[in-house]
Amino acid sequence: MSRSSRIPAHIHARVRAAVVAALVAPLAACSSSGSSGAPAAEATPSPDDRPVTVSVTPTGRQIPAGEPVRVTVSGGRITSVTVTDAEGRRLAGKAAPDGRSWVSDRKAVPGTAYEVTVATRSAAGTARSVRSAFTTARAEKVNKVDWRPGAGTTVGVAQPISLVFDHPVKNRAEVEKQLKVTTSNDTEGSWGWMRDWSGRDRVDWRPRTYWKPGTEVALKADLNGTDSGADGGWFVRDYTTTFTIGDRQIVEVDLDRHRLALVRNGETVRRIPVSGGTPGGDKRSWRGIAVLMAKEGTINMNSETVGLADAYDKMVDHSMRLTWSGMYAHAAPWNARHFGRANRSSGCIGMSDADAAWFYGQVRPGDPFEITGEDTKGVVAPGNGFGAWNLSWTAWQEMSALR
């Protein structure tokens, strides 16, 4: 009879502990280094590295023109914004100091497709970019501009910058903000709005006093995308012109003494006997400052076009326009007996053929004619040619839409 083999209880306990340890050990070996044995947690993005939220306005199709492009972001900063049209032209702009917003300097123009690319950086430094697009509605009505003086010209010391509009301009302040004049010597000047002799809206820029000879002037009219207002339509292009101021030439016209003097840079070059407008009626001349608008050469002058019935209809040589209402300086040989003696013209300043030919060769558009005389129609109005010089500086400044 064999001995029964019984294992004591304390031995059973040690065996169970060893088995449990053996089973657990392989599980611990599969965990990452330094792990306590618990399964690894799934990674979550840092709050600082979440995508930047970008908002661009406008968006969509057939958007009304005339608004700037605006970009705002949250959760990061703007690093760059590029706004281009289909021709590759850009709308520049500026970001706010905190980098959370951007606005274009210019407004979206009519009938144009734009693409907007916004580059951003999150708080954690991750760079991303988003794109947006929009198109603007076409302009139903377009406003255009006729301007003086022409580009690259040399003009006299009284020449204003003058813009005449095809259609009414109700948003005058908005238009005036887009008109930038720069000069080589920081000339002080101001814009003034008026009704042109043609009946159209007009705005002129004149210096406080006559230009300094040699001044270089540039106009930059960033009007593209600007709304004229009711009945005026949109501007769909920009305008630029540059010109230079020539010698200080002033034509002093004394109607009472029936003569004029050409004064250049302070010295009298020549005195010429003339005959001005006939006293006592509609044939009188204007007085004040009239600026030489254009040298028109030989032209037909018809009295019916200036409301003087059938007083004359003839070809006139060496014609120099002073007002839109028909006042000229020109050759008037038919009136020779009155030169230097009496005013017997139909309102113009007449002189001999020889004097007119010489004088025509000396003066240039923009030269002021300072006209004095007792019996005249009155002072040249701002819209009748370039009569802005007949207003005081204070009165002229008040004609600005930005005052």
Side-chain angles (χ1 to χ4, degrees), residues 56-58 67-71 81 83 91 93 102-108 114 116 134:
V56 178
T57 56
E67 293 296 331
V69 178
R70 300 180 186 275
V71 179
V81 177
V83 182
L91 283 183
W102 182 95
V103 181
S104 64
D105 297 331
R106 301 286 304 274
K107 298 175 180 178
Y114 289 98
V116 185
F134 67 94

Side-chain angles (χ1 to χ4, degrees), residues 1 10 13 20 56 82 96 110 135 145-146 165 189 224 269 283 317 323 326 341 362 387:
M1 180 174 179
H10 69 278
V20 172
V56 178
T82 303
T135 60
V145 180
D146 178 28
F165 302 94
N224 196 1
V269 178
K283 292 184 178 182
D317 295 330
T323 70
R341 296 184 178 86
Q362 300 297 310

Side-chain angles (χ1 to χ4, degrees), residues 60-214:
R61 296 179 177 274
Q62 300 301 303
I63 302 298
E67 293 296 331
V69 178
R70 300 180 186 275
V71 179
T72 58
V73 302
S74 60
R77 294 173 60 88
I78 295 170
T79 57
S80 70
V81 177
T82 303
V83 182
T84 56
D85 64 17
E87 303 298 324
R89 294 181 293 259
R90 292 191 176 191
L91 283 183
K94 295 182 180 65
D98 63 5
R100 296 183 181 181
S101 63
W102 182 95
V103 181
S104 64
D105 297 331
R106 301 286 304 274
K107 298 175 180 178
V109 304
T112 305
Y114 289 98
E115 184 174 275
V116 185
T117 302
V118 183
T120 63
R121 191 174 300 278
S122 70
T126 301
R128 294 183 176 88
S129 66
V130 298
R131 291 187 176 184
S132 179
F134 67 94
T135 60
T136 53
R138 296 181 63 87
E140 295 183 1
K141 190 173 187 178
V142 173
N143 207 346
K144 297 181 181 179
V145 180
D146 178 28
W147 72 94
R148 297 187 184 205
T153 55
T154 298
V155 296
V157 297
Q159 176 69 52
I161 301 171
S162 185
L163 308 179
V164 180
F165 302 94
D166 279 4
H167 303 304
V169 179
K170 297 293 192 297
N171 296 339
R172 291 183 171 185
E174 188 64 23
V175 169
E176 191 174 329
K177 288 177 184 177
Q178 313 308 317
L179 308 178
K180 308 299 181 185
V181 177
T182 57
T183 69
S184 59
N185 53 18
D186 297 325
T187 301
E188 181 184 6
S190 178
W191 291 101
W193 290 86
M194 69 199 75
R195 183 62 57 89
D196 185 64
W197 190 260
S198 65
R200 295 181 293 171
D201 283 345
R202 172 177 145 195
V203 63
D204 287 6
W205 193 96
R206 54 152 276 203
R208 182 169 186 166
T209 59
Y210 289 158
W211 294 100
K212 181 180 178 181

Side-chain angles (χ1 to χ4, degrees), residues 15-50:
V15 171
R16 285 196 300 271
V19 172
V20 172
L23 293 173
V24 171
L27 295 175
C30 293
S31 66
S32 60
S33 175
S35 171
S36 63
E42 183 178 345
T44 58
S46 164
D48 290 339
D49 201 27
R50 289 173 181 165

Side-chain angles (χ1 to χ4, degrees), residues 223-282:
L223 291 172
N224 196 1
T226 302
D227 183 9
S228 300
D231 301 322
W234 291 86
F235 295 99
V236 295
R237 59 162 290 190
D238 296 331
Y239 299 85
T240 61
T241 189
T242 59
F243 58 96
T244 304
I245 307 302
D247 289 333
R248 182 181 175 87
Q249 290 196 145
I250 298 174
V251 181
E252 299 175 350
V253 182
D254 187 337
L255 294 176
D256 293 335
R257 301 177 70 181
H258 319 297
R259 71 181 189 186
L260 67 75
L262 176 61
V263 181
R264 180 181 298 145
N265 298 324
E267 296 186 3
T268 299
V269 178
R270 185 166 173 175
R271 290 185 174 87
I272 295 175
V274 298
S275 180
T278 303
D282 292 339

